[in-house]
Amino acid sequence: DGGITQSPKYLFRKEGQNVTLSCEQNLNHDAMYWYRQDPGQGLRLIYYSQIVNDFQKGDIAEGYSVSREKKESFPLTVTSAQKNPTAFYLCASSIAGAPRDEQFFGPGTRLTVL
Amino acid sequence: GNSVTQMEGPVTLSEEAFLTINCTYTATGYPSLFWYVQYPGEGLQLLLKATKADDKGSNKGFEATYRKETTSFHLEKGSVQVSDSAVYFCALKTSYDKVIFGPGTSLSVIP
């Protein structure tokens, strides 16, 4: 079955540590996205990528970094510079340049910084 | 710029009640419109979509019609069930790959 996997589902880290969230898709999609969701709030775009080896900042990129070395993978690193990293992180993918097509979402990673 | 506005929640309904969640948008050009649903602790799933004016998207008893004249895409269901309890997001997508999401509307259906 095609889909998006995110790991781990729950992640705990100490303040000041960098942490990397995994996102893998086997849908053959060119475009991939990272969103942050805080309790009772909508989705905020962190980074997105439309093609391998290229990515753009979203609305809240400060304190985060990404890489896109392979089409199927788009890992997100939450750095110590992110002031309030505790949140639910969602990865998504879609066909690039297809405005009529929806995004597909992974199950999410809940990050808690202690 | 592009934006999506949804009715404020939370919404609480009794089982078998009629549901309407309002969604209006602002966009240049001709966006595609989507409703996504998020169950507790999960990612978002596409519920339905419409890609041009007057299109009606439908799925699992939910419906929404793309109204260009009122820039709206209201979600409706004739008879809600407890299993419909979730957060619903309205979203738009233009010719670029970024999707604009509304803030979400939380729905609770009580037996």
Side-chain angles (χ1 to χ4, degrees), chain B:
Chain B
N2 299 334
S3 66
V4 175
T5 303
Q6 285 181 240
M7 63 186 289
E8 294 289 330
V11 174
T12 302
L13 295 173
S14 297
E15 205 165 20
E16 299 184 2
F18 184 85
L19 169 71
T20 299
I21 301 178
N22 290 337
C23 171
T24 56
Y25 68 91
T26 302
T28 55
Y30 303 94
S32 294
L33 301 173
F34 305 84
W35 277 102
Y36 288 86
V37 59
Q38 183 180 34
Y39 299 101
E42 298 183 7
L44 278 67
Q45 304 173 26
L46 178 69
L47 182 58
L48 53 84
K49 69 179 183 181
T51 59
K52 61 182 187 296
D54 299 324
D55 267 1
K56 178 187 282 188
S58 62
N59 186 26
K60 299 180 182 178
F62 291 89
E63 294 183 339
T65 300
Y66 187 167
R67 301 286 188 200
K68 187 165 171 54
E69 63 276 12
T70 54
T71 61
S72 65
F73 192 54
H74 305 321
L75 182 68
E76 296 181 337
K77 186 175 185 182
S79 176
V80 294
Q81 306 301 312
V82 172
S83 57
D84 294 326
S85 297
V87 180
Y88 293 82
F89 292 92
C90 185
L92 70 82
K93 188 178 183 186
T94 63
S95 57
Y96 302 100
D97 284 326
K98 285 175 67 174
V99 176
I100 308 300
F101 289 90
T105 301
S106 176
L107 170 66
S108 294
V109 180
I110 54 177

Side-chain angles (χ1 to χ4, degrees), chain A residues 32-97:
Chain A
M32 296 187 74
Y33 311 79
W34 274 105
Y35 295 94
R36 170 180 172 140
Q37 187 176 30
D38 293 286
Q41 297 191 28
L43 280 68
R44 292 187 288 172
L45 182 64
I46 304 172
Y47 269 98
Y48 67 105
S49 168
Q50 294 170 291
I51 197 168
V52 173
N53 292 323
D54 188 44
F55 47 83
Q56 286 79 43
K57 292 182 179 180
D59 302 317
I60 56 163
E62 185 175 352
Y64 299 97
S65 66
V66 294
S67 63
R68 187 83 189 277
E69 297 176 2
K70 299 187 297 182
K71 185 175 184 177
E72 55 272 19
S73 178
F74 192 41
L76 173 74
T77 296
V78 184
T79 75
S80 56
Q82 168 49 233
K83 289 183 172 54
N84 184 18
T86 294
F88 190 51
Y89 290 88
L90 287 162
C91 180
S93 72
S94 69
I95 298 172

